[in-house]
Amino acid sequence: MQPHACDQTTKPDLAPCVIVIFGASGDLTSRKLIPGLFSLFSQGKLPRPFAIVGCSRTEMDDQQFRMHLEKHCHDSVAAMDRWHDFAQHLFYKSVDYDLHHFRELAAYLEQLDQQRQTGGNRIFELAVPPALYPVIGDLLGQSGLADEKGPDRGWSRVIVEKPFGHDLESARRLDATLHNHFNEKQIYRIDHYLAKETVQNTLIFRFANTIFEPIWNRHYIDYVGIVAAEELGVGSRAGYYDQSGVIRDMFQNHMMQLLVLTAMEPPSRFDAYAVQDEKAKVIRSLREFDREAGSKLCLGQYQDGEINGKKVPGYRREQGVSADSRTPTFALMELYIDNWRWQDVPFYLVSGKRLPRKETRIVIQFKQVPHRLFHDVLGDTINANRLVIETYPEERIRLHFQTKSPGTAICLRSMTMDFAYHEHYQGKALDDYARVLLDCMAGDHMLFWRQDGIELSWAFLTPVLEECEKCSCEDNGLSYYPAGVWGPEPAGDTMRLLVDD
Ligand SMILES: NC(=O)c1ccc[n+]([C@@H]2O[C@H](COP(=O)([O-])OP(=O)(O)OC[C@H]3O[C@@H](n4cnc5c(N)ncnc54)[C@H](OP(=O)(O)O)[C@@H]3O)[C@@H](O)[C@H]2O)c1
């Protein structure tokens, strides 16, 4: 098969710019942002000229900042050579979050623009705790750093990390603060799941082929499963996680994006606005969650257990988690989309920590054949077709179907057509953070959330969060599971449908 000769990651000529990272002494910067930018630099994909300015309260000079980041980017000798060139573009400015420091920062960036010819174009990445998003948004506005001189020259963009608020109200407040100084086109709300190749490929798979779309509906599909399982526990994020739980951490953003990509109608054009419109329609069509009307939700929390032969502590024994915490670390939701395409097809969304293995997949389970032609010879054993779009551990798509086993007797064999995403691609795949940063430089909103989607998602999940909150003061509602199994017992039957192929 002829591979298509286009490099999907090449962007049209990017304008020079300065990327300012707030929270530059932190985990996200050293683990994701700088390695992502370094890999873009190594592949010649960053604009020229460019500069990166790290900002946080910790006192450091440029040299110390470069040394602090170096170890995170050295995975080969070739990388060490390139690092030296890359590091010349890294700067550090210590800031406190007040107007005086932001005015100083504005003057510093003016100077850097002149030295480096970066054209007054700036990206501000908020890699700080969420409480600082509105504070920094305000300070950028008050110090004039949000102002744009023109759409092509002197632009200003802000990248906001998840979580976008803690609930509907706080999401609206954050948005209002940002909109005091930035217009919607200047705001980029990151969901790095969207930058994963197989997640994007879901749209291409559905809408660049004719054979799947006619059967992608209630007439042929029995149920859809979306699974984001993690082997790890809460780790060093206990402070944040114990306040948030699995619904805020995974469902409001990543799970909702996987759901809308699977269920949306084809957009009229492949541009950010048209795609976001279709996504919003799906969330708007979700059947309201109402326990009394039969909506199903299973919440769980992991206890002591064993994963890969190693004993691991239960959630309440993790450092930073209160000993009587009732925060859910597992949720299984059954959702329905009330529209022409999906009426009465259950969508099972599952995410949890300390499950047997890390796995992210979308399962499309097709219906049984309408007439059991082989019933007399085979009984009821014909497996229905199943399509699995897997993002982790490998990026691949598998289609399970039936064939005849060779021989005189009628015996079926379940076979799998298997497509490994990177098998026929020689280039270097972009890491998800590199991808979203590149898109922001190009002014492309396709992989980012739009505010209406965020608000619709919070509005839908509000009664679910209320259910979780109930669970934190009552003794029922939360089930427990030992680390290393597929969630609590009440979720068992559904989990077997979704993780066993
Ligand atoms: N880490 C990840 O993988 C990840 C993934 C997705 C989203 N996010 C989001 O990205 C953001 C940054 O994550 P992170 O893991 O890098 O956070 P972090 O390491 O906890 O914090 C980043 C930096 O923010 C500064 N900071 C911390 N508390 C502060 C406070 N109260 N006031 C002012 N500055 C403070 C610290 O720098 P100074 O003390 O030097 O100022 C710290 O190094 C968070 O909103 C997180 O939710 C992170």
Side-chain angles (χ1 to χ4, degrees):
M1 187 188 297
Q2 273 303 102
H4 199 288
C6 93
D7 175 358
Q8 302 284 352
T9 58
T10 300
K11 291 280 174 195
D13 283 347
L14 295 175
C17 68
V18 178
I19 301 153
V20 181
I21 303 176
F22 292 106
S25 59
D27 175 71
L28 185 67
T29 305
S30 53
R31 236 172 19 85
K32 291 285 183 186
L33 299 174
I34 295 295
L37 288 164
F38 179 48
S39 100
L40 289 174
F41 175 81
S42 303
Q43 295 173 57
K45 293 185 192 302
L46 283 185
R48 293 298 175 104
F50 77 97
I52 298 168
V53 179
C55 293
S56 46
R57 295 168 306 175
T58 304
E59 294 288 342
M60 274 190 268
D61 59 24
D62 295 344
Q63 206 46 38
Q64 286 166 319
F65 184 52
R66 292 168 189 173
M67 278 164 61
H68 160 71
L69 296 171
E70 188 175 351
K71 57 183 174 294
H72 296 278
C73 299
H74 272 182
D75 53 2
S76 65
V77 177
M80 274 170 81
D81 288 346
R82 289 191 302 268
W83 172 261
H84 181 73
D85 292 342
F86 178 70
Q88 306 312 307
H89 301 264
L90 288 176
F91 303 91
Y92 184 82
K93 176 115 183 79
S94 160
V95 292
D96 273 337
Y97 297 101
D98 59 39
L99 193 50
H100 167 71
H101 279 88
F102 271 63
R103 285 192 174 133
E104 275 187 10
L105 176 63
Y108 172 82
L109 292 176
E110 282 284 330
Q111 249 181 21
L112 194 65
D113 269 339
Q114 282 169 18
Q115 279 169 16
R116 294 275 163 159
Q117 301 298 301
T118 36
N121 297 323
R122 281 126 194 206
I123 292 176
F124 297 100
E125 154 79 46
L126 308 188
V128 287
L132 283 176
Y133 298 168
V135 176
I136 295 177
D138 250 343
L139 288 168
L140 288 172
Q142 288 173 36
S143 56
L145 285 167
D147 299 344
E148 297 199 286
K149 297 190 183 74
D152 301 323
R153 203 175 175 288
W155 44 253
S156 173
R157 296 172 187 158
V158 62
I159 300 183
V160 188
E161 287 291 333
K162 74 149 194 163
F164 318 108
H166 191 69
D167 53 19
L168 180 57
E169 267 321 294
S170 56
R172 282 183 176 150
R173 273 199 308 275
L174 170 61
D175 189 58
T177 307
L178 292 175
H179 274 279
N180 281 337
H181 308 289
F182 294 91
N183 62 48
E184 182 64 25
K185 278 199 168 156
Q186 293 176 274
I187 304 172
Y188 293 75
R189 303 174 189 85
I190 276 197
D191 189 328
H192 65 272
Y193 255 54
L194 278 178
K196 294 184 188 301
E197 291 285 1
T198 29
V199 172
Q200 289 173 49
N201 190 43
T202 309
L203 279 189
I204 308 294
F205 183 76
R206 289 188 56 199
F207 302 136
N209 295 295
T210 43
I211 60 171
F212 299 108
E213 213 36 35
I215 55 170
W216 207 264
N217 57 48
R218 64 192 301 271
H219 300 296
Y220 293 91
I221 293 178
D222 198 12
Y223 60 84
V224 176
I226 299 178
V227 180
E230 290 180 63
E231 191 181 309
L232 291 178
V234 73
S236 59
R237 296 171 66 223
Y240 154 77
Y241 195 89
D242 207 36
Q243 300 301 311
S244 303
V246 65
I247 300 290
R248 287 188 170 92
D249 189 44
M250 291 298 293
F251 280 64
Q252 191 278 328
N253 34 66
H254 308 320
M255 302 303 283
M256 205 52 89
Q257 282 292 347
L258 296 181
L259 169 74
V260 295
L261 287 173
T262 311
M264 68 191 263
E265 295 299 319
S268 54
R269 294 180 311 279
F270 193 55
D271 70 31
Y273 207 80
V275 171
Q276 312 269 24
D277 279 350
E278 293 305 332
K279 287 181 175 182
K281 280 188 210 163
V282 176
I283 313 180
R284 218 174 270 128
S285 310
L286 285 171
R287 191 176 300 169
E288 202 176 316
F289 180 85
D290 180 353
R291 195 64 117 168
E292 289 184 359
S295 301
K296 292 192 185 121
L297 169 69
C298 171
L299 296 169
Q301 188 189 79
Y302 64 86
Q303 295 181 311
D304 294 357
E306 206 175 289
I307 296 187
N308 295 328
K310 205 172 145 223
K311 288 198 183 329
V312 294
Y315 179 69
R316 292 175 178 186
R317 294 208 298 123
E318 300 271 19
Q319 200 176 6
V321 175
S322 70
D324 58 354
S325 169
R326 297 188 58 79
T327 300
T329 61
F330 172 97
L332 164 68
M333 277 182 84
E334 185 185 82
L335 304 182
Y336 289 90
I337 300 171
D338 285 332
N339 66 15
W340 198 267
R341 185 191 284 261
W342 293 116
Q343 196 64 36
D344 294 333
V345 177
F347 281 71
Y348 300 107
L349 268 57
V350 188
S351 182
K353 290 194 173 294
R354 286 291 189 218
L355 302 182
R357 56 179 183 267
K358 181 168 163 67
E359 188 164 291
T360 310
R361 51 162 47 192
I362 299 169
V363 176
I364 310 291
Q365 180 66 47
F366 291 95
K367 292 190 174 179
Q368 290 284 348
V369 290
H371 169 53
R372 304 217 166 169
L373 185 63
F374 305 106
H375 182 266
D376 291 347
V377 233
L378 298 170
D380 276 328
T381 54
I382 303 182
N383 292 330
N385 299 119
R386 182 177 175 95
L387 181 75
V388 180
I389 301 173
E390 194 175 274
T391 305
Y392 197 92
E394 285 181 88
E395 298 198 285
R396 47 198 328 140
I397 298 178
R398 292 197 184 92
L399 178 64
H400 300 273
F401 60 103
Q402 304 302 317
T403 62
K404 180 184 171 300
S405 223
T408 49
I410 296 282
C411 283
L412 292 192
R413 274 199 300 183
S414 281
M415 300 300 287
T416 305
M417 275 193 220
D418 193 347
F419 160 67
Y421 197 75
H422 292 287
E423 218 160 75
H424 299 286
Y425 180 66
Q426 307 299 324
K428 190 165 164 25
L430 280 189
D431 136 297
D432 38 6
Y433 263 92
R435 179 62 207 247
V436 283
L437 290 166
L438 193 64
D439 281 2
C440 178
M441 289 177 227
D444 181 351
H445 276 85
M446 181 75 83
L447 299 183
F448 297 86
W449 276 89
R450 200 170 66 186
Q451 180 63 15
D452 58 344
I454 288 183
E455 290 188 18
L456 286 165
S457 173
W458 277 124
F460 170 74
L461 288 170
T462 298
V464 182
L465 288 166
E466 283 165 3
E467 188 86 11
C468 295
E469 250 100 79
K470 256 198 254 163
C471 165
S472 49
C473 48
E474 286 173 13
D475 254 2
N476 53 11
L478 185 69
S479 310
Y480 297 91
Y481 59 99
V485 305
W486 288 108
E489 208 271 324
D493 288 346
T494 312
M495 290 308 289
R496 274 184 285 282
L497 291 178
L498 303 184
V499 294
D500 294 341
D501 288 337

